[in-house]
Amino acid sequence: MERSLGSGCNDRANHNPHLPGRRPTGMQLGVIGLGRMGRIVVDRVLGDGHDVVAFDLDSEAVDAAAAAGATPADSIEELVETLPENKRIWLMVPAGDAVDATLAELDPLLDEADVVVDGGNSHFERSIERGESLSAAYLDCGTSGGPAGAELGFSLMIGGPAEAYEALVPVFDAVATGPDGHDRMGPQGSGHYVKMVHNGVEYALMQTYGEGFELLSEGRYDLDMESVARTWNNGAVIRSWLLELCEEAFREEGSDLGDVDDHVAGGSTGTWTVKEALEQEVAVPLIYEALGERFDSRVEDGKFSRRLANRLRYGFGRHEVKRRD
């Protein structure tokens, strides 16, 4: 018999044994993947009065989530069994094989009344395929904000069935910056598609700031780069969070960026953006050039703009800063 997508709330005793006074007050969410981003999802959902059942291959990560108030699970099967009917499950595992392996284990345990959220940087075409094959409703959720989201909340770009999205709105409100920090972009794949383009824009913005500060660094005056960034970020047209991170980088590394290396790492989203632009015959020269600079940084050395981009990736994502020997 077909069931509607309810709220996932349940009054049965399913509280965390580590916190015996805690009772379910809202939705119950299963979270699989307790790395930096997954743990932020757990903490923000708990902080908004909902219950979380948490699983990770790393038992220490599960123990840490339990200490924070989540109900620990020793396996995916136990996580599913612990959740009530109308199961809501959030995946925050690395894109690619890890997502497929997790979904393969989940699929026989779920039905059409359940909802799975993929919060990683999956390719939008794979998200479409997964949504068509999964027994449960599937939401592809582009997630932006990095570790800063622990305090501020994320920006969530979500694709998939409208009814499934509406069923998860209380959780999205908790994980995002609030109701304005998330929306349904459209059908299956659209959430990860929008996040892919977002990352391409991010590449271009970082490259632009880097080139501007490189000119200042090599230009006519001996400038305090932290002072420049702070001044620009207070009322100037080009103020932004990335510019705040430039100010942070210069404050912590110095105007010459110290030993920060000219090596800009990154995932696949920028490449995917350029490939999609070619397929759609849309010119994206700034994004293309920024991607090229990243590739070039891995074989050449010395550009100030790329050294700043390297440090900015630490600022928003706490990615490792490559440093000179």
Side-chain angles (χ1 to χ4, degrees):
M1 181 176 67
E2 185 176 357
R3 291 177 289 173
S4 63
L5 293 167
S7 68
C9 298
N10 191 296
D11 292 331
R12 69 183 181 178
N14 185 27
H15 59 283
N16 185 351
H18 297 278
L19 298 174
R22 181 185 174 89
R23 302 292 299 181
T25 56
M27 294 187 65
Q28 290 178 299
L29 179 72
V31 178
I32 300 174
L34 303 174
R36 286 179 300 184
M37 300 289 277
R39 181 57 194 273
I40 292 171
V41 171
V42 169
D43 290 344
R44 289 189 64 83
V45 171
L46 287 172
D48 205 43
H50 307 289
D51 279 358
V52 172
V53 184
F55 171 72
D56 193 282
L57 294 174
D58 182 350
S59 61
E60 291 185 0
V62 176
D63 291 342
T71 299
D74 291 332
S75 66
I76 288 176
E77 183 176 4
E78 183 180 344
L79 178 142
V80 173
E81 290 175 350
T82 304
L83 292 171
E85 290 185 338
N86 302 326
K87 304 176 193 307
R88 281 66 178 106
I89 299 173
W90 193 304
L91 308 187
M92 197 59 91
V93 299
D97 292 343
V99 176
D100 290 325
T102 304
L103 292 177
E105 193 169 347
L106 276 172
D107 191 47
L109 306 174
L110 304 177
D111 61 33
E112 69 277 359
D114 304 323
V115 181
V116 174
V117 179
D118 177 5
N121 273 333
S122 293
H123 192 280
F124 72 95
E125 290 180 337
R126 288 294 294 122
S127 297
I128 294 171
E129 294 167 357
R130 289 165 179 152
E132 291 174 345
S133 63
L134 192 66
S135 299
Y138 179 82
L139 296 174
D140 50 287
C141 178
T143 306
S144 180
E151 179 180 352
L152 303 173
F154 294 132
S155 169
L156 304 176
M157 298 141 265
I158 302 154
E163 188 178 11
Y165 168 76
E166 293 297 334
L168 267 293
V169 162
V171 165
F172 293 142
D173 284 347
V175 176
T177 54
D180 290 339
H182 66 87
D183 209 342
R184 177 178 177 265
M185 302 292 105
Q188 217 94 63
S190 62
H192 283 150
Y193 187 88
V194 173
K195 179 55 165 55
M196 174 187 74
V197 177
H198 160 285
N199 283 18
V201 172
E202 176 188 294
Y203 279 35
L205 289 173
M206 291 171 64
Q207 180 67 22
T208 299
Y209 282 126
E211 290 180 6
F213 279 107
E214 182 166 14
L215 177 57
L216 293 177
S217 177
E218 302 295 330
R220 297 172 181 266
Y221 300 98
D222 182 14
L223 298 169
D224 181 334
M225 296 301 184
E226 179 190 353
S227 174
V228 173
R230 182 180 63 252
T231 303
W232 278 357
N233 216 39
N234 281 273
V237 172
I238 59 172
R239 63 188 182 273
S240 72
W241 183 40
L242 281 176
L243 191 54
E244 289 179 25
L245 296 177
C246 290
E247 181 183 348
E248 174 190 285
F250 292 127
R251 180 172 61 252
E252 296 182 0
E253 307 288 349
S255 287
D256 64 354
L257 294 179
D259 62 353
V260 174
D261 197 9
D262 173 24
H263 180 104
V264 189
S268 301
T269 48
T271 302
W272 295 344
T273 302
V274 171
K275 286 182 177 178
E276 175 65 7
L278 291 172
E279 288 187 19
Q280 300 301 327
E281 298 184 354
V282 174
V284 290
L286 297 180
I287 295 174
Y288 175 81
E289 289 294 333
L291 179 65
E293 282 288 323
R294 287 201 176 196
F295 292 159
D296 197 40
S297 77
R298 299 163 196 176
V299 295
E300 293 188 1
D301 186 40
K303 292 197 71 173
F304 188 92
S305 60
R306 296 191 303 231
R307 295 172 62 214
L308 180 56
N310 175 9
R311 185 52 171 72
L312 286 178
R313 293 186 74 251
Y314 171 80
F316 62 73
R318 291 301 182 258
H319 302 290
E320 179 185 359
V321 178
K322 299 287 186 181
R323 296 190 180 274
R324 296 169 168 170
D325 294 332

